[in-house]
Amino acid sequence: MQSEIVCIGTELLMGKVNTNVSYLSEKLASIGLNFTYETTVGDSSKDIAEILKQSFTRSGIIFVTGGLGPTFDDLTREVVAGVLEKKLIFNREAMQAVAAFFAKRDLEMPKKNEVQAQIVEGARIIPNEIGTAPGQIIELQGHPGFKAETIILLPGPQFEIELMMNKTVLPYLKEKYGRGITKLLVLHVSGIGESKVDEEIKDIVGVERRLEGGDLRFALVAHPGVVDIVIIGSGKNEMLIDSFMAKAKNELKEKLGNHIFGENDQALPQVVGQLLGKNKQTLALAESCTGGLLGKMITDASGSSLYFKGALVAYNNLIKRDVLGVSQATLDKYGAVSAECAREMAVNIRKLLKSNLGIAITGIAGPGGGTAEKPVGLVHIALSGDKLDQVFTQNFSGNRRGIREKAAMFALDSLRQALLG
Amino acid sequence: MQSEIVCIGTELLMGKVNTNVSYLSEKLASIGLNFTYETTVGDSSKDIAEILKQSFTRSGIIFVTGGLGPTFDDLTREVVAGVLEKKLIFNREAMQAVAAFFAKRDLEMPKKNEVQAQIVEGARIIPNEIGTAPGQIIELQGHPGFKAETIILLPGPQFEIELMMNKTVLPYLKEKYGRGITKLLVLHVSGIGESKVDEEIKDIVGVERRLEGGDLRFALVAHPGVVDIVIIGSGKNEMLIDSFMAKAKNELKEKLGNHIFGENDQALPQVVGQLLGKNKQTLALAESCTGGLLGKMITDASGSSLYFKGALVAYNNLIKRDVLGVSQATLDKYGAVSAECAREMAVNIRKLLKSNLGIAITGIAGPGGGTAEKPVGLVHIALSGDKLDQVFTQNFSGNRRGIREKAAMFALDSLRQALLG
């Protein structure tokens, strides 16, 4: 069954990066489907209609994202109904859901939002628990000239799409189309760069690995501080795919060892959190140039209150001295961006916030503030614990954002390595 | 002149985020062009040919990215030539450039890279200084059935595209088509939701605004805590476009007042930072459920050390009491997620970090930890200053990430409103 996706929104043709295609294609792969085409079109009825006609003519499953909001430039409902020559029908269930969204927030529902209860004749509603725009599943049978048999309308914001996919759309598609199997395994690597990973594993991923009626493919994707190795197995025999993927994973683990910190949805902060929990350790942070980013990353994981005590963002140097207790002598002699200051910050934050372990980060994130001696990108990262005393000095490349992200990831990975012994 | 872009690469339909469209659309806007469609298609000759025929039939300028490498799945050269019924010709200049790429790196050129010197008959070469794949500009005149007059082939990696666009493609297009002008103005709105913004401004954006040989368009884009109003003006007379856009902007400002906090690349943290600087105020934060996110956002702006003292992430309740000095009575009577606790946190962080102003955030970001009385999404935000004492209680919707982002943005916007008086 050929699938494709049509993304609607002028902003996607004017600079906004589209991440929905990436998200939805990975979800579809998990049930053996994949997009043959993706098309983006602006908020113009004529252009949307033209593209939808093409899509409905050539594909069986069509995802349509965006344009389900309540405003003047939200045209999807109307145009889809027009192309299918169906009516838009006011749906009481959808109306109640939209109204409940506002009621829950003690807000009056704007009159405008009533349009979101308009449903293409015969469509099922995809409940949207965290936004006002319900989705729709439209089933077609024998529409003259169209191959389309399932049309799925979703809103534009990814966090709304995620819940709707997991709760409603994926189970529906799996039930209806899930025959072949595609499995995705992502191994997360830290502590070494993309080129190095590529070099280490080229003999493993370079081998042609064809299964009976299926195959194994590999891809590398680089993020700040992390490289992902993506293994894609597809075919008909699930046991066979599983065993091939497991074999490839073992070979990669043998090659990369501890640099592989997790799989699939395991993020580095969570992995570190689990290690802290297992070792019954608590963590506190003293952040300077990262300004709260490391604390934000650690608390992205729910349940982090079990091991995370808190952080002091000592952005101002007097706070490093007066609240965190870094000695004036250290600040005078070495400066606030120094290995010595980082070490004192890491030791002292443990005392202040009563934690077993401390991480400190101090550096120059730029673009201003660099000197010949202490250039932009210079970051000192210290770890402190009863039996732990490490200071790393790094020169990170990139812009302000990249330097801050790399510094935070490096700190997390250093702590992980230390916890692993 | 209608433009569109076709992106070639199976990886773009299997999880890899495509950033080329965003980059290229912003570049094109600078010379008054914009994409009407974007299509992504995998590495299949048949599918690529089908899409290219459609594009060549309906648009004048077609960008094609990807598929110019040396391997078996790089099909762009061959398919483009096939669809245009032109020959591929070995080009000595292109061959030398590819060879030079390897020579410069002391590498032997693999035999397979020779295919990269194949050029569509009559095409110009776009030199690629940092990759092996040269681009091509193909000029068509009166090809039966095709509207296409300029076809631009570029490789997939964005850093290669950037240099080729700036050095060759943009100057070429500007010379050939750069007559009209497109201008983009983005107004950032906070403190009210998308529906409300839409309702407020519908009379302004609903009016047909046609200029002599151009027009004004509007779009709304929602982000956590912020709604963007995008004004797109296009036409031939720059002064006229400017005056029309200025008029629309003034009308929107009259309608939305202080809710408009900035334009174009002005982010809310920067705007708040500028206000703090202007008022010679310093800020400190006491964060709980946001875990450092607000500090991270404020320090995203370089130069924030001028007004930002630091933050205490008091994730653990004992830290709220022992370090921040929230009274045990308050914690016992109202709990850590309460307006009372937020107020004490905001007052006390000013003393601890010696700032004029304090912001505190305490709430339940979920997914766990909610109760009937204190559900997930409940967040208390307090502002404290010499003449400032405000506590806001909000029920934010969304997942953990959305709730945290909305809480941080709400806190920033509340401070902005307070600073504006």
Side-chain angles (χ1 to χ4, degrees), chain B residues 33-48:
Chain B
L33 295 173
N34 64 278
F35 292 132
T36 301
Y37 306 103
E38 177 271 332
T39 312
T40 299
V41 59
D43 301 312
S44 144
S45 297
K46 185 179 142 289
D47 295 346
I48 299 171

Side-chain angles (χ1 to χ4, degrees), chain A residues 224 293 365-367 397-407, chain B residues 296 300:
Chain A
L293 173 60
S397 59
N399 56 12
R400 181 176 178 86
R401 180 177 155 185
I403 289 167
R404 281 160 40 109
E405 287 183 359
K406 286 175 190 170
Chain B
K296 180 255 173 203
D300 279 341

Side-chain angles (χ1 to χ4, degrees), chain A residues 39-92:
Chain A
T39 312
T40 299
V41 59
D43 302 311
S44 144
S45 297
K46 185 179 141 288
D47 295 344
I48 298 171
E50 184 195 319
I51 292 300
L52 289 181
K53 273 179 206 159
Q54 283 173 5
S55 304
F56 296 170
T57 305
R58 67 190 170 198
S59 296
I61 304 172
I62 297 97
F63 278 77
V64 182
T65 65
L68 294 183
T71 66
F72 64 92
D73 55 357
D74 290 307
L75 305 165
T76 301
R77 282 175 297 263
E78 211 178 294
V79 179
V80 169
V83 170
L84 295 177
E85 294 169 333
K86 287 179 181 280
K87 285 184 199 148
L88 278 179
I89 291 179
F90 177 83
N91 182 292
R92 194 169 304 274

Side-chain angles (χ1 to χ4, degrees), chain B residues 192-208:
Chain B
I192 46 175
E194 189 184 12
S195 303
K196 183 83 178 145
V197 174
D198 185 49
E199 220 168 281
E200 290 281 338
I201 70 172
K202 68 179 173 208
D203 292 340
I204 299 170
V205 304
V207 181
E208 183 101 359

Side-chain angles (χ1 to χ4, degrees), chain B residues 250-328:
Chain B
N250 284 339
E251 291 173 23
L252 291 167
K253 283 199 161 173
E254 239 169 64
K255 203 72 172 174
L256 296 170
N258 268 346
H259 285 301
I260 296 178
F261 68 80
E263 293 180 13
N264 297 331
D265 60 355
Q266 293 180 304
L268 186 53
Q270 286 166 311
V271 170
V272 171
Q274 281 158 4
L275 279 173
L276 288 167
K278 214 171 79 182
N279 292 325
K280 295 197 169 54
Q281 301 282 296
T282 58
L283 176 66
L285 314 175
E287 297 192 54
S288 184
C289 64
T290 45
L293 173 61
L294 183 53
K296 180 255 173 203
M297 281 168 53
I298 288 172
T299 58
D300 279 341
S302 71
S304 43
S305 57
L306 293 176
Y307 47 80
F308 182 59
K309 287 273 190 165
L312 181 69
V313 179
Y315 214 62
N316 183 292
N317 286 343
L318 288 180
I319 294 175
K320 292 188 182 74
R321 188 191 69 186
D322 298 342
V323 184
L324 198 48
V326 174
S327 73
Q328 186 65 54

Side-chain angles (χ1 to χ4, degrees), chain A residues 126-252:
Chain A
I126 308 169
N128 181 354
E129 295 171 22
I130 53 179
T132 59
Q136 305 186 30
I137 298 179
I138 304 161
E139 296 179 328
L140 280 192
Q141 273 187 327
H143 192 291
F146 286 171
K147 281 198 190 138
E149 49 180 62
T150 305
I151 301 165
I152 294 159
L153 311 186
L154 293 169
Q158 191 178 327
F159 67 98
E160 296 182 24
I161 286 181
E162 288 178 9
L163 215 65
M164 296 164 85
M165 277 300 286
N166 289 330
K167 285 210 167 177
T168 310
V169 180
L170 262 195
Y172 171 87
L173 290 176
K174 194 172 180 179
E175 167 76 23
K176 193 166 173 184
Y177 298 104
R179 285 178 284 263
I181 296 155
T182 296
K183 292 203 158 187
L184 205 68
L185 174 67
V186 183
L187 301 179
H188 305 298
V189 179
S190 56
I192 47 175
E194 189 184 13
S195 304
K196 182 81 179 149
V197 174
D198 188 43
E199 214 170 290
E200 289 281 335
I201 69 172
K202 67 179 173 210
D203 293 340
I204 300 170
V205 305
V207 181
E208 183 102 359
R209 289 169 187 264
R210 291 203 73 82
L211 297 75
E212 189 99 2
D215 66 351
L216 217 56
R217 283 173 296 147
F218 298 87
L220 285 187
V221 186
H223 310 278
V226 173
V227 178
D228 286 345
I229 305 172
V230 185
I231 312 175
I232 307 150
S234 55
K236 288 189 177 160
N237 183 329
E238 185 164 6
M239 268 178 59
L240 201 66
I241 297 173
D242 283 345
S243 77
F244 261 66
M245 291 180 83
K247 187 161 169 288
K249 179 171 107 173
N250 285 338
E251 290 172 25
L252 291 168

